[in-house]
Amino acid sequence: MAEEIRDTLRLIGEELGKAYGQQMNRGEHMPDRARIISILEEIRRLMFPGFFGSENTALVAPENFAGNTLAGIYEMLYKEIRNSLLFAGKAKEEEANDLAKRETLTLLQKLPEIQNMLMKDVEAELLGDPAANSKEEIIFSYPGIFAIFVYRVAHELYVQQIPLIPRVMTEYAHGKTGIDINPGATIGEYFFIDHGTGIVIGETTVIGNHVKIYQGVTLGALSTQGGQSLSGVKRHPTIEDNVVIYSNTSILGGETVVGENSVIAGNTFVTKSVPKNTKVSALMPDLKMRTIAE
């Protein structure tokens, strides 16, 4: 039995070696997914004080709460950024410490701006959803706001060209909410996701201000057959300001632009640009009804 197990382990190791090569020697610097999720939880606690922590913020000085929370975020994030840089071969040991410190501080300095954007997103949800009773309800319970929160943090790390961590963050939100927002997408102010399940927003998507998207919407590429040769190419659509996209609609292609103030009805398939102030809809299928024999 022991010999068979050793043979199995050897074969598994050989296959991993073929697939990953030198990456196998960087395992000690593998980023910790659980810690990355903890970082998100701590940032959310900081963004929305009193909502997600166990402390009573009415009894804690704001500067103490913020200072202690930021210190903890810094320690965790620094370690994960350093590991991700080393694991991906983006830095050598001698430079990784200083680079990780700079990149960690850059993200922390962006947090007030991220918070400002998130509060605008919450306001958009409240104004756009008649079923919403309060901003507090939205912050506590809406999956769209959670997915947007994670995206906005991950996007800043993506802009900083931090490997691995941004995608780990957004895929965590994807698993929790069914909303898949690539951290490379560019999304403006007052972004409103209604319901949200099944939404896909690709890496090179550009979304303007005051855009509203319903469940099942795909902002995707026309084709990915080119594989890695398409990396960095604009593959996904541009959605201008004040656009509403209803459920189960696909808008595809890097040259596709949906002009401002347009409405895209549900169950439509769009692969060419839409002028501003336009309503796009597909022909309704014929409905047939018959009486069921009793």
Side-chain angles (χ1 to χ4, degrees):
M1 177 68 73
E3 184 176 346
E4 285 84 352
I5 291 175
R6 282 195 295 271
D7 288 342
T8 299
L9 289 174
R10 177 180 56 79
L11 291 171
I12 290 173
E14 288 176 358
E15 286 302 313
L16 286 173
K18 292 175 187 176
Y20 297 107
Q22 291 300 313
Q23 289 294 104
M24 291 291 294
N25 297 324
R26 299 178 188 159
E28 64 183 298
H29 299 304
M30 177 84 73
D32 187 320
R33 183 177 183 274
R35 191 174 290 118
I36 291 169
I37 293 170
S38 294
I39 290 166
L40 280 173
E41 291 172 347
E42 288 299 291
I43 292 175
R44 185 165 69 146
R45 197 163 68 92
L46 184 65
M47 297 287 96
F48 303 109
F51 281 84
F52 299 106
S54 59
E55 67 284 323
N56 185 344
T57 53
L59 303 177
V60 180
E63 59 272 19
N64 291 342
F65 166 72
N68 291 337
T69 307
L70 275 172
I73 293 169
Y74 176 89
E75 290 298 326
M76 288 191 293
L77 185 59
Y78 161 75
K79 291 176 182 177
E80 295 313 307
I81 288 179
R82 181 182 183 277
N83 281 339
S84 71
L85 292 170
L86 290 168
F87 184 79
K90 299 293 184 181
K92 297 179 180 179
E93 287 278 357
E94 57 269 21
E95 60 186 3
N97 289 347
D98 288 341
L99 182 56
K101 288 176 183 177
R102 290 198 302 271
E103 297 298 345
T104 301
L105 286 173
T106 296
L107 189 278
L108 295 188
Q109 289 168 340
K110 282 281 188 178
L111 292 181
E113 181 181 331
I114 293 172
Q115 185 186 43
N116 180 262
M117 292 283 281
L118 285 170
M119 296 315 298
K120 291 176 180 178
D121 298 326
V122 171
E123 184 176 347
E125 296 266 356
L126 182 64
L127 295 176
D129 184 2
N133 294 305
S134 66
K135 291 182 179 180
E136 290 80 6
E137 180 182 70
I138 291 166
I139 293 169
F140 268 128
S141 62
Y142 274 38
I145 280 296
F146 179 72
I148 293 168
F149 153 70
V150 173
Y151 154 77
R152 294 212 183 277
V153 174
H155 177 69
E156 294 302 330
L157 292 169
Y158 177 95
V159 170
Q160 293 172 226
Q161 299 183 342
I162 303 301
L164 300 173
I165 296 175
R167 196 59 182 267
V168 171
M169 288 179 168
T170 54
E171 291 301 338
Y172 170 66
H174 182 193
K176 294 278 284 186
T177 66
I179 299 167
D180 182 2
I181 309 177
N182 189 288
T186 301
I187 301 177
E189 298 179 341
Y190 298 97
F191 184 46
F192 177 18
I193 289 176
D194 203 352
H195 304 295
T197 306
I199 285 176
V200 177
I201 300 176
E203 180 185 29
T204 61
T205 301
V206 176
I207 296 175
N209 300 325
H210 297 279
V211 171
K212 183 175 183 178
I213 295 180
Y214 285 80
Q215 70 273 14
V217 167
T218 295
L219 305 179
L222 271 170
S223 172
T224 58
Q225 291 181 351
Q228 286 296 312
S229 67
L230 296 175
S231 180
V233 176
K234 179 80 163 73
R235 309 181 300 282
H236 307 95
T238 295
I239 312 299
E240 294 186 345
D241 296 349
N242 303 304
V243 169
V244 178
I245 307 171
Y246 284 98
S247 59
N248 300 317
T249 286
S250 293
I251 303 175
L252 309 179
E255 296 182 1
T256 303
V257 178
V258 177
E260 61 186 20
N261 306 314
S262 292
V263 176
I264 312 297
N267 299 301
T268 55
F269 192 82
V270 179
T271 59
K272 61 182 181 180
S273 292
V274 175
K276 65 181 181 179
N277 304 312
T278 299
K279 181 175 181 179
V280 178
S281 60
L283 293 175
M284 291 292 291
D286 292 332
L287 298 178
K288 295 181 179 181
M289 299 185 186
R290 64 183 179 86
T291 302
I292 299 175
E294 296 182 0

